[in-house]
Amino acid sequence: MSERSERRLSTSVLVIGTGGSGLRAAIELAERGVDVLVLGKRPRLDAHTTLAAGGINAALGTMDPQDSWQQHAADTVKESYLLADPRTVEIVTQGAAAGIHDLERYGMAFAREDDGRVSQRFFGAHTYRRTAFAGDYTGLEIQRALVRRATELNVRILDTVYVTRLLVHDNTVFGAYGFDVGDGTRAVVHADAVILATGGHTRIWRRTSSRRDENTGDSFRLAVAAGARLRDPELVQFHPSGILEPENAAGTLVSEAARGEGGILRNASGERFMERYDPERMELSTRDRVALAEYTEIMAGRGTPNGGVWLDVSHLPRETIMRRLPRVYQMMLEIQMLDITAGPIEIAPTAHYSMGGVWVRPEDHSTDVAGLYAVGEAASGLHGANRLGGNSLSELLVYGRIVGAAAAAYSAGLDAQRRSRDAVAEARAEVDDLLAADGHENVRALQRAVRDTMTAYAGVVRDEPGLRAGLAELDAIEDRMQDVGIHPDIAGFQDLAHAFDLKSSALAARATLAAALERRETRGCHNRSDYPDLDPALRVNLVWSPATGVVQEEIPPVPTEIAELMTEVSSVGKLVE
């Protein structure tokens, strides 16, 4: 393709990703008077943030005045199995209340008590009630509020641009390259700073709560190709209740509220199996324990015909189900024609959240590449080996603001922007080569092969032979990737987008398998059947790049004022997440 046929754009700060973290960063930049452009590969009102249901954490003290950011921090570090970066935790918990107030300023309507206080409810493993919410669609309301505020500020948002590569010269980012998924028009975007807000990598498993073509590891590939590193890619939260059928909806979540309201888990023999794994908390146990229990039952041959377990709420009064679980009722009717008041739901563990991500500094989420930042699920540092329910939405608001401010300051401090025609030419050639590819391998089939490999060898429970087998299978898949065929058609350039999704998925899979192999212990979400115990010597982050492989990185000590508050949290009557 010639340079003349490319669209050329310029901005002070480029944000890649139209979810909550990207929009919050863009709003901060616009409010500071900085020129910002936001690119997304899916419609802004349908970003992954909209799927977050439960709520957003902040120690507001509206319900429990004794709550504090220090206690919120202690709960977060404890739930992370001590792998969270303490400074990152401090920054999020101290800034969370301001994030809530920002949303109120943007016009978001939180649930409130009769006297006007913001309502706050218990989420699992919290010492106090600190989760603010809007019904069971908090993420959707947050996304709507952010889109509304961005529109008021006239933020430029292009919804259909797929970014294929970051443009880097002398370890300094100067923009990005991509194409329009509708008509294939190329775009060269020059920018002083770039913010990656492109989500996680949970779509590389067969069952996932992510939808098709999202969370395919884009942030991993873009960052690594630019010269950045990944931290803890093996730490992935598996949610215990993803549906199994139909295949195009496999992994879609049945809300945790179904267990919270009294749902019972049974195996194919009708046994209430949680009695074997957590007799006190039963179905109200933690996500990682319930997911592990389900996996164990299925692998022991006690699973349902489709390889799952039963979640049954049919014993509850119909009125309770219709009042407390209306979305679950409606969803199962629409997807499976299943009336949950009359029969059980077939579920299994599903990949839900990337707790690792791009390596960033806690102060401003800058990376190893000058001018490049990562935020939201694309970044790492807050969640460790288990995410405290409700913290992900707090994180995107707090660091969205911080990263926006940091990128603004970085842009203002530049004397000049150095570019590279060679870097642009390499990005252009990468797309040209794929469009010219006329091999016999189907991109979608290879994506499925990656998902099958990760599901077989890097799911809820892992071991060394399986992880090595996974890496060998991945080698074979990457060999087949050299012979793909790309065929844009009248409907658009989705086939080209899927080819780049595949590249991202393969890289994310390799990082995950390599780090999972090195973490020879069981800690939080990471279960090694050959290393069933937690190893205190592995209270480290695992940092991966193609050049270095996996390297251990020390974690700073937890400040005394937080460590003293890390006590056991009562879970009586609470759903523990």
Side-chain angles (χ1 to χ4, degrees):
M1 167 173 273
S2 70
E3 295 181 39
R4 292 183 179 179
S5 55
E6 290 172 340
R7 188 178 182 187
R8 305 185 74 80
L9 302 167
S10 183
T11 184
S12 295
V13 181
L14 171 64
V15 177
I16 305 173
T18 56
S21 57
L23 289 180
R24 181 61 189 89
I27 288 167
E28 187 67 23
L29 286 154
E31 289 184 340
R32 291 169 177 266
V34 178
D35 186 48
V36 57
L37 171 64
V38 184
L39 304 180
K41 68 175 185 179
R42 66 182 309 127
R44 70 199 76 170
L45 285 170
D46 191 35
H48 188 68
T49 303
T50 62
L51 301 185
I56 176 171
N57 299 334
L60 301 177
T62 58
M63 309 297 285
D64 296 314
Q66 62 270 50
D67 198 10
S68 64
W69 73 261
Q70 291 94 336
Q71 186 63 63
H72 184 187
D75 293 348
T76 299
V77 172
K78 184 175 184 299
E79 189 73 356
S80 80
Y81 288 77
L82 302 180
L83 294 191
D85 176 77
R87 183 67 188 124
T88 300
V89 173
E90 285 182 325
I91 289 169
V92 169
T93 53
Q94 284 181 294
I100 297 280
H101 299 321
D102 282 340
L103 290 175
E104 290 180 305
R105 178 162 60 91
Y106 306 154
M108 179 171 165
F110 284 98
R112 294 184 180 271
E113 298 296 299
D114 291 340
D115 61 4
R117 288 173 295 152
V118 171
S119 295
Q120 293 193 280
R121 60 187 176 197
F122 272 122
F123 235 27
H126 290 264
T127 303
Y128 299 111
R129 290 171 288 180
R130 66 168 69 97
T131 304
F133 58 95
D136 59 354
Y137 45 87
T138 308
L140 178 60
E141 284 301 307
I142 288 175
Q143 185 72 9
R144 285 172 173 168
L146 293 172
V147 169
R148 191 164 53 241
R149 180 58 179 155
T151 302
E152 290 172 357
L153 292 166
N154 295 313
V155 172
R156 287 186 296 164
I157 302 176
L158 300 179
D159 276 330
T160 57
V161 176
Y162 191 108
V163 174
T164 62
R165 182 176 288 212
L166 300 179
L167 301 175
V168 177
H169 178 60
D170 284 346
N171 199 45
T172 301
V173 75
F174 67 90
Y177 191 87
F179 65 93
D180 188 286
V181 293
D183 62 17
T185 301
R186 309 282 185 89
V188 178
V189 185
H190 289 129
D192 294 337
V194 176
I195 298 171
L196 269 182
T198 43
H201 70 311
T202 52
R203 188 66 203 170
I204 69 172
W205 280 268
R206 192 163 59 227
R207 282 193 294 266
T208 169
S209 56
S210 297
R211 298 163 299 186
R212 289 181 78 169
D213 309 326
E214 69 179 13
N215 288 326
T216 47
D218 302 27
S219 54
F220 286 22
R221 180 180 59 84
L222 290 170
V224 166
R229 296 172 293 157
L230 305 179
R231 176 165 49 196
D232 295 337
E234 80 283 10
L235 300 180
V236 176
Q237 185 176 62
F238 284 82
H239 195 291
S241 51
I243 65 172
L244 279 71
E245 294 184 310
E247 186 175 341
N248 65 355
T252 301
L253 292 188
V254 174
S255 170
E256 211 118 31
R259 285 188 290 122
E261 293 297 329
I264 291 173
L265 291 169
R266 300 188 189 278
N267 60 23
S269 303
E271 296 175 291
R272 191 175 182 182
F273 59 84
M274 284 307 298
E275 292 175 346
R276 281 196 282 274
Y277 304 95
D278 194 340
E280 291 187 14
R281 295 183 295 199
M282 302 284 279
E283 285 82 9
L284 299 182
S285 187
T286 57
R287 281 181 184 171
D288 54 336
R289 282 202 187 186
V290 176
L292 180 58
E294 291 176 359
Y295 175 87
T296 304
E297 291 294 306
I298 295 163
M299 296 307 291
R302 296 187 289 270
T304 56
N306 289 312
V309 297
W310 298 113
L311 170 59
D312 193 5
V313 296
S314 63
H315 58 283
L316 299 174
R318 181 180 176 86
E319 178 190 352
T320 298
I321 292 172
M322 302 307 289
R323 181 167 47 87
R324 307 287 289 192
L325 302 171
R327 293 185 74 185
V328 177
Y329 176 82
Q330 189 66 33
M331 180 185 78
M332 295 312 300
L333 266 185
E334 292 175 356
I335 293 179
Q336 293 183 0
M337 288 300 292
L338 173 67
D339 180 357
I340 65 171
T341 68
I345 309 166
E346 195 175 15
I347 62 166
T350 182
H352 180 53
Y353 193 89
S354 302
M355 291 179 289
V358 179
W359 183 94
V360 290
R361 298 177 181 87
E363 295 75 23
D364 60 2
H365 270 27
S366 57
T367 68
D368 302 296
V369 181
L372 178 62
Y373 303 82
V375 67
E377 198 172 352
S380 62
L382 177 64
H383 306 295
N386 208 34
R387 178 172 66 93
L388 191 67
N391 266 2
S392 55
L393 293 176
S394 307
E395 177 188 24
L396 68 83
L397 290 172
V398 172
Y399 272 111
R401 176 180 56 78
I402 290 171
V403 168
Y410 176 84
S411 173
L414 290 181
D415 292 323
Q417 185 196 79
R418 294 287 306 280
R419 301 175 184 175
S420 164
R421 290 178 62 86
D422 288 344
V424 177
E426 285 178 21
R428 183 183 300 122
E430 183 179 32
V431 179
D432 288 342
D433 290 347
L434 274 175
L435 284 174
D438 196 26
H440 69 280
E441 292 284 0
N442 180 276
V443 169
R444 282 299 205 193
L446 291 172
Q447 285 180 323
R448 191 177 306 116
V450 172
R451 292 199 294 270
D452 287 346
T453 295
M454 295 303 289
T455 300
Y457 303 119
V460 176
V461 178
R462 301 137 180 206
D463 62 29
E464 181 152 346
L467 292 166
R468 293 197 182 281
L471 285 165
E473 283 192 12
L474 190 61
D475 288 340
I477 292 168
E478 289 179 335
D479 285 343
R480 293 169 61 193
M481 285 168 57
Q482 305 307 310
D483 194 28
V484 296
I486 307 299
H487 308 288
D489 58 26
I490 195 169
F493 281 68
Q494 287 293 342
D495 208 29
L496 181 60
H498 297 155
F500 278 102
D501 285 346
L502 174 62
K503 282 174 171 265
S504 298
S505 295
L507 181 139
R510 183 165 296 282
T512 302
L513 289 164
L517 188 60
E518 289 299 313
R519 189 169 287 287
R520 293 179 172 87
E521 66 166 350
T522 290
R523 185 187 293 260
C525 66
H526 178 71
N527 296 286
R528 283 286 297 263
S529 59
D530 48 351
Y531 293 94
D533 299 319
L534 184 148
D535 183 353
L538 282 173
R539 192 214 158 209
V540 295
N541 295 132
L542 299 182
V543 181
W544 179 89
S545 75
T548 63
V550 179
V551 177
Q552 294 188 8
E553 186 173 79
E554 293 297 317
I555 299 171
V558 180
T560 304
E561 65 172 334
I562 293 172
E564 289 174 346
L565 297 173
M566 289 167 54
T567 57
E568 286 297 323
V569 176
S570 170
S571 60
V572 176
K574 291 191 292 183
L575 183 69
V576 184
E577 295 183 13

